Amino acid sequence: MGGGPIFLVLIFCGAAAVAFFGWVSRLHLVADRKPVDVDDLYLSVSSKVDIAALRAVMRGVGESYSINPELIRPEDPLSGFIKADSWLLGAGTERLNEWLADNRLDAHLASSLTVLELAQALEDSRRSSN
């Protein structure tokens, strides 16, 4: 009997471990949070950003990292999502970068911003393109 079946089992276990730890790291970001509607979150930041921009960013971040947008908060740093995504070889960050490009935003800024700051940047970008 060769080492082929053992090798395949090890590869499968390794892939399962990476997927599991990626899921756990994303879950850790939003642990102990209850879903909150964006309209309710908006009340605390209404003087800082337009609701359409906040909704778009929360949806974009949530879809990129496979997280319910209602678990994301305006004060969440995007760097936390990027770090958690490293378990999945950056697939979520790649999707976020595509979303940023589609919205004419610089992907390099994302790692230093919060969700709210990204929403403000999106709002500024939309305003300057009109």
Side-chain angles (χ1 to χ4, degrees), residues 14-92:
V18 167
F20 173 75
F21 286 114
W23 174 76
V24 168
S25 65
R26 280 195 318 271
L27 184 64
H28 178 70
L29 284 172
V30 294
D32 301 327
R33 290 186 181 174
K34 302 259 189 266
V36 177
D37 188 66
V38 177
D39 292 338
D40 294 333
L41 290 173
Y42 179 69
L43 296 174
S44 66
V45 296
S46 61
S47 65
K48 299 175 184 173
V49 69
D50 180 67
I51 192 163
L54 183 63
R55 260 197 199 110
V57 167
M58 292 181 74
R59 187 175 42 252
V61 171
E63 289 175 359
S64 295
Y65 292 104
S66 302
I67 295 173
N68 179 351
E70 292 183 344
L71 296 174
I72 299 170
R73 303 295 182 258
E75 65 276 4
D76 286 342
L78 293 173
S79 60
F81 297 103
I82 293 167
K83 287 177 190 171
D85 189 47
S86 66
W87 281 101
L88 300 175
L89 303 176

Side-chain angles (χ1 to χ4, degrees), residues 115-130:
V115 170
L116 174 61
E117 291 166 338
L118 183 58
Q120 291 168 330
L122 177 62
E123 185 177 16
D124 291 345
S125 173
R126 287 178 173 175
R127 216 180 282 136
S128 67
S129 67
N130 288 335

